[in-house]
Amino acid sequence: MEKSKEQLERPPSEKPAYSIYTSDEKWFIVAVAGLAALFSPFTANIYFPAIPTIANAFNRSIEDINLTVTVYMVVQGVSPMFWGTLADRWGRRPMFNACMLILCLVCVGMALMPTNAYWLLMLLRCLQAAGSASTVALGAGVIADIAEPKERGMYYGIWNIGPMVGPCLGPVLGGVLAEGLGWRSIFWFLAISSGLCFLLILALMPETLRAYVGDGSIPPPRGYQPFIPVIGRKRKSSAPLDPSARPLRRGFINPFRLFLLPDVSLLLFFNGVVYAVFYGVTTSISTLFQDTYPYLTETEVGLCFLAIGGGMLIGGIVTGKVIDREYRRVKDQMIAASEKETDPEKKLSPEEVTKEEHFPIEKARLRLMPLYLGLFVVMC
């Protein structure tokens, strides 16, 4: 069987430790996942500059329209538990496609809805969140599928550009569209862009769930292949075709059982407080700024969100590099301590150091969290 150029260049003993994807292929997969993840905050934030305009169109108070933001955030917080569980069972690719298709269709409905149906606005905002919010969780799962723990921080940092750009670009585009073409154009824009993302995933995104494809060398089940198989095309002839080599698929796991784990609950509470403060600020900017600075147009109000979005964008990239450096620092410390160990039973090899039962992953990832939180509190 003819081998690919990459396989010929690699020594026989050198086998990828975690996945067979090349660096370029990983970046491509992360880029597509990051584009899909952009829609979660983008869909939420593009709406903010138009809140006063939509309130006038529906003849409702600002508080009533803010409730549509509240229900969006509630569904945004809950739906990833279900989509993520389904993705662990049925694969990443079909869940990405389902999320994008739902978002596209719901945005078409919002662009056409009558202004005397406030209840419909509330319902469609819930469905909109159900479609867009889970792309962040799915993207994180994709990175865990293809990247080793030691390099995930870098990939998470770059992948985070998508979710971080959303709060930066969303309000600006929302202000421009609402002022130039009316508030309905916001939802037409979302429908078109999410539809294009759906087609991109359908055409190019490979299945990465390790229960289906292992380290990427096992062909996915029928119907899971992209229409244009760009990833792994050169390796296709050498991939094993034995379906029995595929790992066992997970059964359905009740996501609410995670709340019984104290560490998970603490992390959710911590992030919940931070996001509550964040969205409390971003949701009120359009209303408060128009009252305080009445000379601002909708486009200029949208530009005011650039400060928050820009900080999130830069912070996401920098933090990804920092936590990878922290991971390497802790790993080097453990290797050095192991080399000084005189007891052979306690001595660990460099490969054993990073195993889950030995490596203090919480220390490596969260050691700087108090510093970040303190800075956040001071700035607030």
Side-chain angles (χ1 to χ4, degrees):
M1 184 177 292
E2 184 182 355
K3 293 186 177 181
S4 68
K5 180 181 178 182
E6 182 183 349
Q7 288 173 317
L8 290 172
E9 293 175 350
R10 182 187 299 144
S13 60
E14 184 183 342
K15 187 184 178 200
Y18 195 80
S19 72
I20 66 168
Y21 300 109
T22 66
S23 178
D24 289 342
E25 289 172 343
K26 288 180 182 178
W27 283 121
F28 178 82
I29 294 171
V30 169
V32 175
L35 176 63
L38 177 148
F39 282 93
S40 177
F42 187 75
T43 304
N45 287 267
I46 197 173
Y47 186 78
F48 292 160
I51 285 177
T53 303
I54 294 175
N56 291 332
F58 280 80
N59 196 25
R60 309 289 297 207
S61 66
I62 294 292
E63 289 74 16
D64 287 344
I65 302 302
N66 280 340
L67 283 177
T68 66
V69 178
T70 301
V71 296
Y72 183 98
M73 298 307 169
V74 171
V75 178
Q76 185 183 46
V78 174
S79 64
M81 291 192 296
F82 298 100
W83 284 110
T85 301
L86 292 174
D88 286 340
R89 170 68 175 168
W90 300 109
R92 318 294 187 200
R93 177 180 154 84
M95 296 306 113
F96 266 124
N97 285 326
C99 286
M100 288 293 98
L101 184 59
I102 290 172
L103 176 61
C104 178
L105 296 177
V106 170
C107 287
V108 171
M110 296 189 74
L112 298 173
M113 65 183 167
T115 54
N116 61 350
Y118 173 72
W119 66 270
L120 183 59
L121 175 63
M122 294 281 283
L123 174 62
L124 291 179
R125 281 291 282 176
C126 290
L127 295 176
Q128 192 182 43
S132 67
S134 304
T135 54
V136 173
L138 296 176
V142 166
I143 294 176
D145 290 337
I146 66 174
E148 294 182 77
K150 66 181 180 182
E151 61 182 357
R152 284 177 191 169
M154 174 182 64
Y155 286 113
Y156 277 125
I158 301 300
W159 165 78
N160 252 326
I161 291 178
M164 296 301 108
V165 163
C168 187
L169 294 181
V172 178
L173 284 173
V176 171
L177 290 170
E179 183 179 358
L181 299 173
W183 62 269
R184 293 183 188 273
S185 64
I186 292 175
F187 302 113
W188 282 120
F189 176 83
L190 287 173
I192 294 170
S193 56
S194 59
L196 291 175
C197 186
F198 167 76
L199 294 176
L200 176 65
I201 294 172
L202 201 64
L204 301 176
M205 183 75 168
E207 179 56 61
T208 63
L209 182 65
R210 296 180 75 84
Y212 281 147
V213 300
D215 63 359
S217 62
I218 303 174
R222 183 176 299 177
Y224 280 74
Q225 296 93 342
F227 292 164
I228 306 174
V230 175
I231 301 298
R233 181 174 52 192
K234 295 180 180 179
R235 295 188 301 270
K236 190 173 181 182
S237 60
S238 61
L241 300 176
D242 183 9
S244 64
R246 187 173 293 122
L248 293 176
R249 196 167 59 183
R250 292 183 184 181
F252 180 80
I253 301 174
N254 182 1
F256 289 101
R257 292 176 60 187
L258 292 173
F259 289 104
L260 300 177
L261 303 175
D263 51 348
V264 173
S265 296
L266 283 172
L267 285 171
L268 289 173
F269 176 77
F270 170 81
N271 282 283
V273 171
V274 172
Y275 272 89
V277 175
F278 169 75
Y279 278 108
V281 172
T282 54
T283 304
S284 59
I285 282 179
S286 59
T287 304
L288 296 179
F289 275 36
Q290 285 195 348
D291 290 342
T292 308
Y293 312 106
Y295 50 83
L296 292 178
T297 64
E298 288 173 313
T299 300
E300 290 168 337
V301 170
L303 291 172
C304 293
F305 288 84
L306 282 174
I308 291 178
M312 294 176 68
L313 174 60
I314 296 170
I317 298 173
V318 172
T319 301
K321 296 182 179 295
V322 169
I323 60 177
D324 268 353
R325 188 188 66 183
E326 285 291 294
Y327 186 98
R328 291 192 298 269
R329 185 187 65 82
V330 174
K331 177 183 176 181
D332 292 341
Q333 287 180 348
M334 292 190 65
I335 292 174
S338 178
E339 290 175 349
K340 296 177 182 178
E341 184 61 54
T342 57
D343 187 350
E345 294 184 358
K346 295 182 180 179
K347 197 175 184 68
L348 301 174
S349 67
E351 292 75 20
E352 291 176 321
V353 162
T354 54
K355 288 186 177 180
E356 185 176 351
E357 61 268 25
H358 300 137
F359 194 75
I361 189 67
E362 297 86 357
K363 180 181 178 182
R365 296 302 193 200
L366 301 178
R367 189 179 73 90
L368 297 179
M369 190 57 70
L371 176 63
Y372 287 125
L373 181 61
L375 184 62
F376 179 73
V377 171
V378 170
M379 292 301 104
C380 286

